[in-house]
Amino acid sequence: MAKLSKNGHAAITITLLFFTVAAVVADSLPPPAALVPAIIAFGDSTVDVGNNNYILNSTFKANFPPYGRDFKNHKATGRFCNGKIVTDITADTLGFTSYVPPYLSPEVTGDNLLLGANFASAGSGYFDGTSNLYNAISLSQQLKYYKEYQSKLAKVVGSTKASSILSNALYILSTGSGDFVQNYFINPNLYKSKSPSEFSSLLVGIFSNVINELYKLGARKVGVTSLPPLGCLPATIQKYGHRRGECISRLNDYARDFNTKLEAAVNSSSRLFPELRIVIFDIYKPLYDLATAPTKHGFVEARRDCCGTGTVETRYAICKANELNGTCRNATGYVFWDGVHPSEAANNVLADSFLMQGIKLIV
Ligand SMILES: *[C@@H]1O[C@H](CO)[C@@H](O)[C@H](O)[C@H]1NC(C)=O
Ligand SMILES: *[C@@H]1O[C@H](CO)[C@@H](O)[C@H](O)[C@H]1NC(C)=O
Ligand SMILES: *[C@@H]1O[C@H](CO)[C@@H](O)[C@H](O)[C@H]1NC(C)=O
């Protein structure tokens, strides 16, 4: 008995001590830290948070209404969505209380460098030739910016702290749809000289080089998105579909072929770099499920996009500036916001599945 109560007392003392220390620490420190120190994003319009606003002649911009209609302060930031993109939702889930500004923004300085960086640019692809068609920031330029970011960060926090942030950061790479939709499908120089499978191999080769490069530069936690079902996007169905309203299986086959090659490349990178944690954030399956059986998932519309882009030109598959009339009243039931980009509601579904797939990056 005596022994028990003595232990019990010790336990209570330790518990009290713990709470006292915790309280003192909580008083003197900022709010609880996020699960990773920083998020660093590369890619295309799926993750662009407004870099293209700073490129005068970039083809694709989303810094006008109706973009951002359901975002904080209804602001059109340059995100290709009515509300949050997947990386915003992921940042929320990981405990961040603010979003990283686009890297080209003048706000990217001082303490704003600490929570990560976003280099993504709408119109960009794995293949620099794709980016060049649309005056987007190519992936190789995004890597150059990343190196510049590393030295800026080291100047702010010192090189030891900087390398700790950079090796614990979550890296997200989301690109590749544009290489097909905005380039291969419409570019005779490519589709006459390469089969879709050869083109996929070329892109995945670039992906592997990018991973090598990022690893050398200190990245250790990487999530790469797979290609979406390219044949289920409102823009491709409108342009290439024969029977209105059905996904185009040929285009989906190209995406699945790319995704298989991507998976093989991810597997090789894992073998090559044992310290690298790398996962595929699969977009294909969840978006295919939404696009083919929307009502099963609480959606009402998967063929028409909410903002009513309405022209046959894929390159104009984004919302028309200030055209509010054709825009649906409530995007919550729509899988697609514009001709190629999911709505915030669909992004919530994608982000949920990313989280399941990305657990090993954050524990
Ligand atoms: C777009 O601007 C960049 C510099 O900002 C320039 O290098 C490029 O040639 C321009 N492209 C076109 C098509 O005007
Ligand atoms: C990648 O590795 C996983 C797990 O080892 C395996 O199940 C999968 O078949 C591999 N994929 C490819 C395309 O090699
Ligand atoms: C929008 O639609 C969803 C279901 O699709 C519904 O739950 C929600 O209440 C609607 N919001 C408004 C403001 O009508």
Side-chain angles (χ1 to χ4, degrees):
M1 272 304 266
K3 209 175 169 197
L4 259 182
S5 80
K6 207 173 156 197
N7 279 351
H9 181 72
I12 289 166
T13 310
I14 288 167
T15 309
L16 283 176
L17 185 67
F18 173 79
F19 278 117
T20 313
V21 171
V24 170
V25 169
D27 267 353
S28 56
L29 282 181
L35 289 168
V36 292
I39 299 178
I40 297 173
F42 301 88
D44 61 15
S45 57
T46 52
V47 281
D48 189 349
V49 291
N51 279 310
N52 278 16
N53 304 347
Y54 298 93
I55 305 171
L56 282 181
N57 57 10
S58 62
T59 307
F60 299 114
K61 288 190 173 69
N63 55 351
F64 47 79
Y67 285 104
R69 187 182 76 175
D70 303 313
F71 196 65
K72 202 170 38 164
N73 303 325
H74 310 288
K75 191 167 181 236
T77 56
R79 285 167 171 79
F80 287 77
C81 191
N82 58 309
K84 293 176 186 178
I85 54 174
V86 177
T87 40
D88 296 330
I89 301 161
T90 304
D92 291 346
T93 310
L94 295 179
F96 288 88
T97 52
S98 65
Y99 302 138
V100 170
Y103 186 69
L104 297 186
S105 144
E107 286 173 50
V108 173
T109 171
D111 282 357
N112 276 348
L113 293 161
L114 268 63
L115 298 180
N118 182 306
F119 307 101
S121 170
S124 178
Y126 281 111
F127 186 46
D128 283 359
T130 303
S131 318
N132 296 341
L133 291 174
Y134 302 101
N135 296 315
I137 311 169
S138 65
L139 196 50
S140 37
Q141 179 61 43
Q142 293 184 30
L143 283 167
K144 287 186 190 142
Y145 281 141
Y146 172 62
K147 287 182 209 163
E148 178 188 86
Y149 166 73
Q150 290 200 328
S151 37
K152 286 183 179 171
L153 182 65
K155 282 201 188 102
V156 176
V157 296
S159 55
T160 312
K161 179 89 190 290
S163 30
S164 151
I165 292 174
L166 295 168
S167 60
N168 288 301
L170 171 64
Y171 291 74
I172 297 177
L173 171 58
S174 178
T175 193
S177 297
D179 289 308
F180 285 93
V181 177
Q182 316 286 0
N183 196 356
Y184 185 85
F185 293 162
I186 57 171
N187 184 348
N189 292 335
L190 282 178
Y191 67 69
K192 287 191 175 154
S193 65
K194 287 181 176 46
S195 69
S197 171
E198 286 166 346
F199 188 58
S200 280
S201 301
L202 173 93
L203 301 179
V204 171
I206 298 169
F207 161 77
S208 294
N209 291 338
V210 168
I211 294 302
N212 290 355
E213 178 87 6
L214 280 176
Y215 184 81
K216 270 195 287 175
L217 290 167
R220 293 295 180 269
K221 303 175 177 184
V222 181
V224 56
T225 59
S226 65
L227 282 192
L230 295 173
C232 296
L233 309 177
T236 54
I237 292 179
Q238 183 168 39
K239 186 159 182 190
Y240 306 108
H242 297 298
R243 279 163 302 162
R244 202 179 161 74
E246 269 185 40
C247 295
I248 305 155
S249 52
R250 180 173 55 93
L251 305 194
N252 284 345
D253 291 344
Y254 301 159
R256 280 204 313 275
D257 176 57
F258 174 95
N259 290 343
T260 305
K261 292 181 166 123
L262 181 73
E263 190 181 301
V266 162
N267 285 357
S268 321
S269 296
S270 299
R271 283 193 297 269
L272 192 58
F273 307 122
E275 280 178 50
L276 177 67
R277 287 189 256 171
I278 181 166
V279 302
I280 293 178
F281 291 138
D282 182 43
I283 293 188
Y284 189 96
K285 185 173 187 310
L287 198 54
Y288 183 84
D289 291 347
L290 292 184
T292 52
T295 49
K296 222 169 112 187
H297 302 89
F299 288 77
V300 295
E301 179 60 65
R303 288 295 166 262
R304 280 179 305 146
D305 54 65
C306 173
C307 82
T309 51
T311 87
V312 287
E313 278 290 334
T314 316
R315 73 182 267 163
Y316 299 121
I318 62 173
C319 310
K320 283 186 230 134
N322 304 305
E323 179 96 19
L324 301 181
N325 288 340
T327 301
C328 76
R329 196 161 292 172
N330 180 358
T332 313
Y334 279 67
V335 174
F336 292 97
W337 164 248
D338 66 15
V340 284
H341 301 107
S343 63
E344 176 183 277
N347 283 335
N348 275 316
V349 176
L350 297 179
D352 277 353
S353 95
F354 283 18
L355 197 67
M356 305 297 287
Q357 293 154 352
I359 284 291
K360 80 167 187 186
L361 299 179
I362 52 176
V363 294

